[in-house]
Amino acid sequence: MQFAPLQDAEDFLAQNPDIELFELFIIDANGVPRGKLLHRDELLAVYRSGRPLPSTILGLSINGDDVEDSGLVWDVGDIDCRAYPLAGSLVRLPWRLIPTAAVQVSMHPQDGMPASIADPRHVLVQVIERLQAEGFHPVMACELEFYLLDAKRDARGHPQPALDADGGRPRSTQVYGLRELEQIEPFLADLYAACKAQGIPARTAISEYAPGQVEITLEHGDALQAMDQAVRYKRLVKGVAHRHGMQACFMAKPFDHLAGTGMHMHVSLNDAAGRNLFASEAPAGTPLLRYAVGGMLASLLDSLLLFCPNANSYRRFQANSYAPLAPTWGVDNRTVSLRVPGGPAFTRHIEHRICGADANPYLAAAAILAGIHRGIREELDPGEPIEGNGYAQAKTLLPTDWLTSLCALQASTWAPEALGAEFLRVYLAVKREEQRRFMGEVGEQDWRWYLNQA
């Protein structure tokens, strides 16, 4: 684990004399940024000696509640754990009214105990280090879909698409529509400018499969750096949207009648010289690529809770919806879970299409790479790639409910070694508590279905 040097902070302060506040944040297991707002004169101390954060900060539910079974609450007296800044994470937040910057921190492997075992970034670092020790250097990129919603609800109190620049509200699906992108140009202009200012390589923008749904791709690169950029990008999108009177929504399935939102993960392996080990003139890639696919397929059920972490995640899985339902793979085929895109040999990689946009990029990437490592070590053959409609040819289906996925990860014999038994103990405690509380709530759907019938 490499932390940022003091010089980074000194240079930033000298170059940004107007900055008054600093948002110090850490990413928890749910992908939620949590932290503190510091004054300018507190920043250097963070770089010199870290910042104490309570152990509970990495054992919270998605709603910010303590999870006692995590072992990070009463068992350890909610002890302070020291977190340190990550290199390259100190950036301005251009949407804030008060001149503000942000710095991402991560738990120190020793001084951050016991919370460091629950730091999702540590999980990814450890998986990457194991691959690198065998000469494999993972390269990844993240494609995140999201909805732009109006900050105001409709007459029924339900979320609704944000207003276009011309004052209308998008009502129809115009996938790849250029007018739709023109209508959100003020937002896109600020978003691209903010990405440039923060060093986030945002590229192609696409109008997606529902009114108000957008996807912007991020450029591929070193796997850890790519996931750092992904978590900061989500924070940035939400901040810029808020400044424009909108809400950026990364829920997996915010509307029952509209498309879900995914997070497609692109992955390949380089050697130490930067050569793509999946590169091949053959569309299906090298034997190493096939082993990687085989490992991801073999580990898919055990990993599903990391790809689809919430109750709402499973509403996205519907046939013929471009959300994959089965442990399948294919070449240039968008009806399968693992797609090998076409293109020149040097670009050969795997597109993992299972994650919802609500997944934590660190944990999703860790599970993907750990699955790849398993496939290479065990030389797992994925079978022949599917041609044509992958939905129609699926022989087995993924679980489409939260509890089954939770139980699969809990029963896994592979995941504790691949991702860390102590991390999984905390993560599963959080997810069990969330599942219990979610199922304990009675709401509108229950009343609509059962109030007059039961």
Side-chain angles (χ1 to χ4, degrees):
M1 180 68 68
Q2 294 183 343
F3 296 110
L6 176 63
Q7 189 66 46
D8 284 4
E10 293 175 337
D11 291 346
F12 186 89
L13 291 173
Q15 296 163 10
N16 296 272
D18 62 317
I19 292 291
E20 299 177 23
L21 300 174
F22 288 87
E23 189 181 83
L24 179 147
F25 71 94
I26 191 168
I27 301 296
D28 75 3
N30 277 306
V32 177
R34 303 188 185 276
K36 300 180 177 183
L37 195 60
L38 309 180
H39 284 272
R40 181 183 178 91
D41 59 7
E42 297 179 272
L43 182 68
L44 293 181
V46 176
Y47 278 74
R48 289 192 183 102
S49 55
R51 184 77 182 194
L53 295 173
S55 57
T56 50
I57 200 168
L58 290 180
L60 299 172
S61 74
I62 198 166
N63 291 319
D65 298 316
D66 285 342
V67 176
E68 295 185 13
D69 287 348
S70 69
L72 298 178
V73 190
W74 311 125
D75 296 3
V76 295
D78 198 10
I79 189 174
D80 274 341
C81 306
R82 298 201 85 81
Y84 285 77
L86 299 175
S89 70
L90 182 53
V91 292
R92 295 181 69 99
L93 302 180
W95 62 86
R96 299 291 283 269
L97 295 177
I98 300 172
T100 304
V103 59
Q104 185 180 351
V105 299
S106 184
M107 287 294 174
H108 190 281
Q110 289 81 41
D111 299 345
M113 288 291 287
S116 61
I117 63 171
D119 190 330
R121 192 174 186 273
H122 284 231
V123 178
L124 177 56
V125 167
Q126 290 160 7
V127 173
I128 290 173
E129 287 177 345
R130 288 196 292 270
L131 278 165
Q132 290 176 337
E134 297 183 18
F136 304 117
H137 299 263
V139 174
M140 298 191 76
C142 191
E143 290 179 357
L144 272 163
E145 299 169 347
F146 58 92
Y147 276 88
L148 284 176
L149 305 179
D150 200 315
K152 297 179 181 179
R153 301 291 180 91
D154 67 14
R156 300 171 299 166
H158 294 177
Q160 59 183 339
L163 291 173
D164 285 335
D166 64 8
R169 201 176 298 282
R171 297 294 183 188
S172 62
T173 298
Q174 291 291 342
V175 64
Y176 298 110
L178 297 178
R179 179 187 179 277
E180 283 62 33
L181 296 178
E182 290 177 4
Q183 289 297 312
I184 59 170
E185 187 174 21
F187 163 78
L188 288 178
D190 283 352
L191 179 61
Y192 275 116
C195 285
K196 184 176 181 180
Q198 294 194 2
I200 296 175
R203 295 295 182 259
T204 306
I206 301 169
S207 174
E208 274 289 348
Y209 283 83
Q213 192 182 38
V214 183
E215 177 188 274
I216 296 178
T217 61
L218 301 180
E219 196 172 81
H220 69 276
D222 169 82
L224 181 60
Q225 183 180 30
M227 295 307 109
D228 283 339
Q229 291 168 347
V231 299
R232 295 167 198 165
Y233 169 78
K234 288 182 74 170
R235 177 74 182 90
L236 189 153
V237 170
K238 291 181 179 182
V240 173
H242 179 73
R243 185 68 182 269
H244 282 262
M246 299 184 290
Q247 178 184 6
C249 174
F250 291 88
M251 266 181 79
K253 187 72 172 174
F255 302 101
D256 56 9
H257 61 294
L258 297 176
T261 50
M263 180 175 70
H264 296 168
M265 306 282 269
H266 296 254
V267 59
S268 60
L269 296 177
N270 282 356
D271 63 16
R275 292 183 292 262
N276 183 1
L277 296 171
F278 290 172
S280 171
E281 293 296 339
T286 60
L288 192 73
L289 183 148
R290 293 178 64 93
Y291 293 152
V293 170
M296 284 193 281
L297 292 177
S299 310
L300 180 52
L301 178 60
D302 292 11
S303 306
L304 193 58
L305 187 67
L306 302 169
F307 304 144
C308 305
N310 304 309
N312 177 262
S313 305
Y314 298 86
R315 298 188 185 278
R316 176 172 157 260
F317 289 91
Q318 298 176 14
N320 304 320
S321 65
Y322 291 103
L325 289 164
T328 52
W329 80 290
V331 177
D332 209 7
N333 187 336
R334 288 184 170 86
T335 68
V336 297
S337 297
L338 303 178
R339 169 180 174 254
V340 180
F346 72 90
T347 68
R348 198 73 67 232
H349 67 279
I350 304 164
E351 180 187 21
H352 185 282
R353 299 174 56 81
I354 298 164
C355 300
D358 56 342
N360 181 328
Y362 290 132
L363 297 181
I368 289 169
L369 294 177
I372 287 174
H373 199 185
R374 174 185 182 182
I376 293 171
R377 287 199 321 260
E378 300 178 21
E379 297 187 352
L380 297 178
D381 182 2
E384 291 304 306
I386 283 182
E387 297 181 6
N389 187 345
Y391 294 107
Q393 298 178 57
K395 297 179 180 178
T396 58
L397 297 179
L398 301 175
T400 54
D401 70 282
W402 197 16
L403 183 59
T404 301
S405 296
L406 197 160
C407 291
L409 180 57
Q410 188 168 294
S412 173
T413 56
W414 163 79
E417 180 181 354
L419 303 172
E422 286 300 300
F423 165 76
L424 286 178
R425 178 183 59 78
V426 176
Y427 184 74
L428 287 167
V430 170
K431 287 299 163 185
R432 283 194 300 266
E433 181 66 8
E434 287 179 0
Q435 197 271 343
R436 184 188 68 80
R437 293 185 186 184
F438 186 90
M439 293 305 298
E441 287 191 16
V442 176
E444 182 181 319
Q445 184 177 13
D446 296 77
W447 300 326
R448 192 172 66 252
W449 278 56
Y450 305 118
L451 192 66
N452 296 318
Q453 306 302 330

